[in-house]
Amino acid sequence: MMVVKSLRLAPVALALLASGAQAQGQSESMFSFSGFGTVGLTGTTRNGAEYVIPGQVHGADKSLSGEVDSKLGLQGTAKFNAQFSATAQVLTKQTGKGDWTPQVEWAFAKWQATPGLAIRAGRMGAPFFAVSDFRDVGYANTWLRPPIDVYGQVPVSHFDGVDVNWSTQVAGKSVSLQVFGGESSSYVRQTKLELKKMVGVNATVELADGLNLRVGHAQGKLTAHSATVSSLVGALRQTPFASVGNEIDPADKDASFSGVGLSYDEGQWVVAAEYTKRRNDSFVPDTTGWYTTVGYRVGKFTPYATLSQQKTDSSNVNNTIPGTVVVGGLPLRAVVDAVTAAQSTPQKTIAVGVRWDAWRNVAVKAQYDSIKTTGAGQFYNVQPGFNNERVGVYSVAVDFVF
């Protein structure tokens, strides 16, 4: 599945990034430099919790925040000849540690073996979603941000490894296939996640003019480096309830992510949808996420609406501990329930927004999300009394490429 305005905006944005400041206009130079960024402000209709992109530790409440969506990326490419090139991208945005330290997002070499076959090695965008390669390039997307009810399921944006990309034409329609493997790591709310032995495949098929189908699957071994959870697992293994500790244990557990999507971009209409499932063998819950976006272009303006939801399918922990068991002065069953509940983030969202293509390389967006949480949903730093709420989130952003 392509980006919401994939057939139009993504090529324009990527072309601008590719040409960028190509050695001060010298088109024959082997080096090209470009960039992208977003300046955004976000606020909510109530206090008691912070709206964040999943993984972040600083967000917005009734006090406006510029930390949720703002970012700046710089990209450089060296084209050695018609077959070999190398690309690097450095991105500055709020990390899962809560800082703004620039991160190397891409750093890969590419061999264009044939017109339809390319092999890359190094650090690349993690291809879990429809817009994985340019999820941070706001200009390439209709929404102000990808729907977090879906995109928050896997807060990993790059991986280190190899991929093979093949494309061809069948009956006049494009078909592409990507096979990849490697490993990745990321910080999510100060906790380091590692995904080892990762392998996956994505396929995209053009069904008709403007209509595309995308399916994908990835799997690997997930480890969450949490001292709190590790201590709980160790304590449980010293009791008759060691099986509960084994289920919670976040070390080297099987994990997978699958998705299917459709996009339609023809004339004035822009329609996109994704349906995804996350599966784990640890205390990270199994989830299902989906969204549907519909937009309609009117000159330089594109109003749009999105419905999305994330639900918890299973906590993956069968808590058989009686409520009367106390360890270290704490009711053990309640502690386990609290740990698993903290990982469950179901919510439903209705979003409306508008994109204004103000200049060739600048888009101005405004978006309002009405979010109904179950528990705390995906909000962060939740205070007592904040649960099962409907919260309004309003955002404005300026996206640009250069």
Side-chain angles (χ1 to χ4, degrees), residues 103-373:
Q103 305 289 319
V104 177
E105 194 70 10
W106 294 355
F108 63 83
K110 179 181 177 181
W111 174 33
Q112 191 71 46
T114 71
L117 179 64
I119 301 173
R120 302 185 299 174
R123 174 166 292 184
M124 296 161 284
F128 300 124
F129 301 100
V131 301
S132 292
D133 268 351
F134 35 90
R135 65 193 294 180
D136 284 306
V137 185
Y139 183 86
N141 298 293
T142 297
W143 328 278
L144 191 141
R145 69 182 69 87
I148 67 172
D149 293 348
V150 171
Y151 282 69
Q153 291 174 292
V154 186
V156 175
S157 59
H158 61 249
F159 79 103
D160 300 324
V162 177
D163 74 352
V164 179
N165 296 272
W166 174 77
S167 60
T168 189
Q169 294 281 321
V170 176
K173 303 300 181 183
S174 63
V175 177
S176 63
L177 181 70
Q178 178 192 34
V179 179
F180 60 92
E183 59 184 39
S184 182
S185 65
S186 178
Y187 278 86
V188 176
R189 298 181 178 180
Q190 304 284 9
T191 298
K192 185 178 182 179
L193 299 183
E194 289 186 309
L195 189 59
K196 303 283 189 179
K197 301 178 182 178
M198 181 178 67
V199 294
V201 60
N202 295 306
T204 303
V205 180
E206 183 184 6
L207 301 177
D209 291 345
L211 180 64
N212 293 273
L213 169 70
R214 178 188 185 272
V215 293
H217 176 78
Q219 63 187 46
K221 294 287 188 177
L222 177 67
T223 297
H225 295 275
S226 169
T228 300
V229 175
S230 294
S231 295
L232 176 60
V233 170
L236 286 166
R237 285 174 173 166
Q238 302 302 312
T239 73
F241 311 104
S243 61
V244 179
N246 293 336
E247 290 179 345
I248 295 174
D249 185 10
D252 200 35
K253 291 299 185 67
D254 287 336
S256 68
F257 187 77
S258 304
V260 59
L262 283 170
S263 68
Y264 178 77
D265 190 336
E266 190 74 11
Q268 277 69 51
W269 288 101
V270 185
V271 182
E274 282 187 84
Y275 180 85
T276 56
K277 283 188 173 291
R278 183 182 73 189
R279 294 291 179 262
N280 292 278
D281 284 345
S282 71
F283 76 112
V284 178
D286 294 347
T287 59
T288 295
W290 64 268
Y291 75 81
T292 299
T293 295
V294 177
Y296 188 83
R297 302 184 182 94
V298 183
K300 292 186 176 182
F301 294 88
T302 306
Y304 60 90
T306 299
L307 297 178
S308 62
Q309 181 180 7
Q310 182 186 128
K311 67 175 183 176
T312 298
D313 299 321
S314 173
S315 69
N316 294 324
V317 177
N318 181 22
N319 190 356
T320 58
I321 304 171
T324 56
V325 176
V326 176
V327 175
L330 297 174
L332 198 55
R333 181 182 180 87
V335 171
V336 171
D337 285 342
V339 168
T340 56
Q343 303 303 311
S344 181
T345 57
Q347 61 181 37
K348 299 178 182 179
T349 304
I350 302 171
V352 293
V354 61
R355 173 193 172 112
W356 170 36
D357 286 283
W359 292 276
R360 175 175 176 267
N361 61 336
V362 177
V364 181
K365 302 174 186 176
Q367 182 170 309
Y368 181 82
D369 297 70
S370 178
I371 302 174
K372 178 65 172 69
T373 66

